[in-house]
Amino acid sequence: MNRLNLFAPDVRENPYPFYAELRRKSPVCQVDPGGIWVVTRYDDIVSAFRNTQVFSSAGLRMVTEPPYLERHNPLSDSLVLADPPRHGRLRALVGRAFTPATVSSLERHMRTTASRLTDEMLHRREVEFIADFACPAQTRALAQLIGLDSSLEARFIRWTTDVFSLSSISPADHARILEVRKTIDEMEQYMKKLVASRRQRMEDDLVSDLLRCEAGDSALTENELIACLLLILVAGLETTSTLLTQMVLMLARRPEWMDRLRAEPALIPRFIDEVLRFEPPLHATMRLTLAETELGGVRLPARAMVALLVGSGLRDEARFHEPDRFDPERRAQSSLPFGHGAHFCIGAMMARTQARVVLEELVLRCRRIALRAERLEWTVGLNTRCPLALPIEVAPS
């Protein structure tokens, strides 16, 4: 029997029937590329998230620093790639600066940006939503949060694309490898200069807040601070722009929900929750087993690379009634789209706020959103799944 290839075009286009078959027949098994193990059932995924002593986030370091890179990736020092107790120390320090009040203070800026981008979209009528709306909306929010030079928006988007392509670059693609190495150099140098400038003059931004949190032996090191800022930038941009894109794709394919949300705006948070379940921005995350263990009745060897297929777990029939039906009014919800336990995403509130603000603007001012492509091309990578482009046409209310 041939192993499933997660990067095969038909799997990328619609992985959910393949996931369903795995849940039925081989819920924990090896797949391609590379014979990695996958975990497909909701309860098993949650168990692996909880068992940080065996399922180590060091597995992600092998994704951020593939052998061909031949250099340290500063993102490898971030909290998402740390295990307890270091993870707890990093999260506590970052959490003191990344508060609900901080996110709340960004909402006005998010709304102004969403309104302007909607104006531009309605003026043009035909746009490519990812490049013309999703990425600019989130990049500008993150620039405001962190204290970045907003004129470098295109550069930040390129950085994010390059970082999330690490798992899918061929070791033989020397030109692409050189591009990614250059990107990592740029990212690191930019953040070092930004931190140095804030040490000389504090401002009202996240970098300054994190520097103010420095206290005693528990303070963030310079490498940890830079890793934290880069993580918030690239992970925050990739996952939230993906959420916005999937949200608009859902409205294009289910136009009745434009009218429904306009008439009942109180349903908007539930609509977002269902998009997060149905097409989660965090599609999979990697772990490395530190010892031989059993999961889902299967023995996993030590040092096994394991992909927790969150996108499969959120379609698990044992957890959700009719999981392949998009239903914002369903009762069963889950926090799994943002991870679980110690690794629950620290930026979840910001992502939800951005999604709500954007959706409120779109349903108020757009009568319809129509897809201008018969077939979409999808990203190739383990962590996220998103169209490469989303050409749409919008009609004003």
Side-chain angles (χ1 to χ4, degrees):
M1 179 179 177
N2 293 330
R3 291 193 303 216
L4 177 69
N5 188 336
L6 296 180
F7 289 174
D10 55 338
V11 177
R12 295 305 293 174
E13 184 171 3
N14 183 13
Y16 300 107
F18 299 96
Y19 293 167
E21 185 174 5
L22 289 180
R23 288 194 303 272
R24 288 192 301 269
K25 298 180 179 179
S26 305
V28 178
C29 65
Q30 285 183 284
V31 300
D32 286 324
I36 63 171
W37 292 83
V38 292
V39 182
T40 60
R41 289 179 179 170
Y42 187 98
D43 288 344
D44 292 335
I45 292 168
V46 169
S47 293
F49 267 118
R50 288 175 176 166
N51 189 358
T52 56
Q53 291 183 326
V54 173
F55 292 92
S56 169
S57 294
L60 288 173
R61 181 180 288 268
M62 299 172 74
V63 176
T64 58
E65 292 186 5
Y68 69 73
L69 198 59
E70 297 181 344
R71 63 150 291 164
H72 174 64
N73 184 343
L75 280 165
S76 297
D77 296 318
S78 64
L79 65 88
V80 76
L81 275 74
D83 292 327
R86 180 171 174 266
H87 177 273
R89 180 180 69 83
L90 293 177
R91 190 178 181 94
L93 286 165
V94 175
R96 287 163 60 186
F98 207 86
T99 63
T102 302
V103 176
S104 180
S105 70
L106 284 171
E107 183 167 340
R108 183 176 179 181
H109 179 271
M110 289 177 175
R111 193 169 297 280
T112 299
T113 301
S115 179
R116 288 174 180 169
L117 290 171
T118 304
D119 284 341
E120 295 170 11
M121 193 165 62
L122 288 171
H123 176 72
R124 294 170 56 190
R125 295 293 184 92
E126 294 185 356
V127 299
E128 197 284 283
F129 182 79
I130 298 174
D132 296 331
F133 196 116
C135 283
Q138 184 62 3
T139 305
R140 293 169 197 179
L142 290 166
Q144 179 76 8
L145 170 71
I146 300 172
L148 307 176
D149 181 350
S150 59
S151 69
L152 301 178
E153 178 181 308
R155 185 183 301 183
F156 302 146
I157 293 171
R158 174 173 57 80
W159 290 354
T160 301
T161 300
D162 285 351
V163 166
F164 276 86
S165 71
L166 283 170
S167 65
S168 59
I169 295 176
S170 166
D173 191 347
H174 301 295
R176 185 75 181 112
I177 290 170
L178 289 174
E179 290 174 354
V180 172
R181 286 178 186 161
K182 181 180 178 182
T183 286
I184 292 173
D185 287 338
E186 284 182 3
M187 294 192 313
E188 191 169 34
Q189 292 306 312
Y190 178 87
M191 288 302 179
K192 283 181 176 179
K193 290 178 182 178
L194 180 63
V195 170
S197 71
R198 292 300 185 270
R199 288 193 189 279
Q200 293 180 348
R201 180 182 175 181
M202 295 287 193
E203 297 191 13
D204 184 20
D205 57 33
L206 184 64
V207 181
S208 302
D209 288 343
L210 290 171
L211 288 172
R212 292 186 187 102
C213 289
E214 290 186 338
D217 295 336
S218 65
L220 292 169
T221 67
E222 184 84 356
N223 286 347
E224 289 170 344
L225 177 56
I226 289 169
C228 167
L229 297 172
L230 286 172
L231 176 69
I232 292 170
L233 173 60
V234 300
L237 175 53
E238 178 73 10
T239 55
T240 304
S241 64
T242 297
L243 170 59
L244 300 182
T245 301
Q246 294 286 12
M247 194 169 67
V248 167
L249 178 57
M250 211 63 64
L251 290 173
R253 287 176 167 169
R254 295 166 174 79
E256 68 276 10
W257 276 100
M258 289 290 289
D259 298 329
R260 182 78 185 275
L261 294 177
R262 191 179 301 113
E264 301 177 65
L267 281 174
I268 285 177
R270 295 182 68 177
F271 182 91
I272 294 168
D273 282 342
E274 182 67 347
V275 173
L276 285 165
R277 183 198 70 82
F278 200 75
E279 288 286 2
L282 176 67
H283 199 77
T285 189
M286 301 299 296
R287 292 294 186 266
L288 180 73
T289 57
L290 299 183
E292 184 178 332
T293 189
E294 182 174 313
L295 184 66
V298 175
R299 298 298 297 180
L300 294 172
R303 308 295 297 176
M305 286 289 289
V306 181
L308 308 181
L309 293 183
V310 173
S312 173
L314 290 166
R315 299 282 189 109
D316 191 341
E317 302 82 358
R319 173 77 182 191
F320 302 98
H321 178 64
E322 297 182 4
D324 292 324
R325 181 168 62 89
F326 181 78
D327 179 15
E329 295 182 289
R330 71 171 63 246
R331 293 183 180 180
Q333 296 294 345
S334 172
S335 62
L336 193 59
F338 291 107
H340 185 80
H343 282 282
F344 183 77
C345 177
I346 202 166
M349 181 180 294
M350 182 174 178
R352 287 184 182 277
T353 301
Q354 178 75 280
R356 174 177 56 79
V357 166
V358 167
L359 197 50
E360 287 170 351
E361 288 294 317
L362 293 179
V363 299
L364 176 66
R365 301 181 56 196
C366 302
R367 179 172 51 85
R368 283 287 181 272
I369 297 174
L371 189 61
R372 293 191 299 112
E374 293 184 4
R375 185 171 182 176
L376 300 174
E377 297 293 326
W378 296 84
T379 54
V380 178
L382 290 173
N383 297 106
T384 59
R385 177 177 175 271
C386 185
L388 290 171
L390 188 67
I392 60 170
E393 181 178 358
V394 293
S397 297

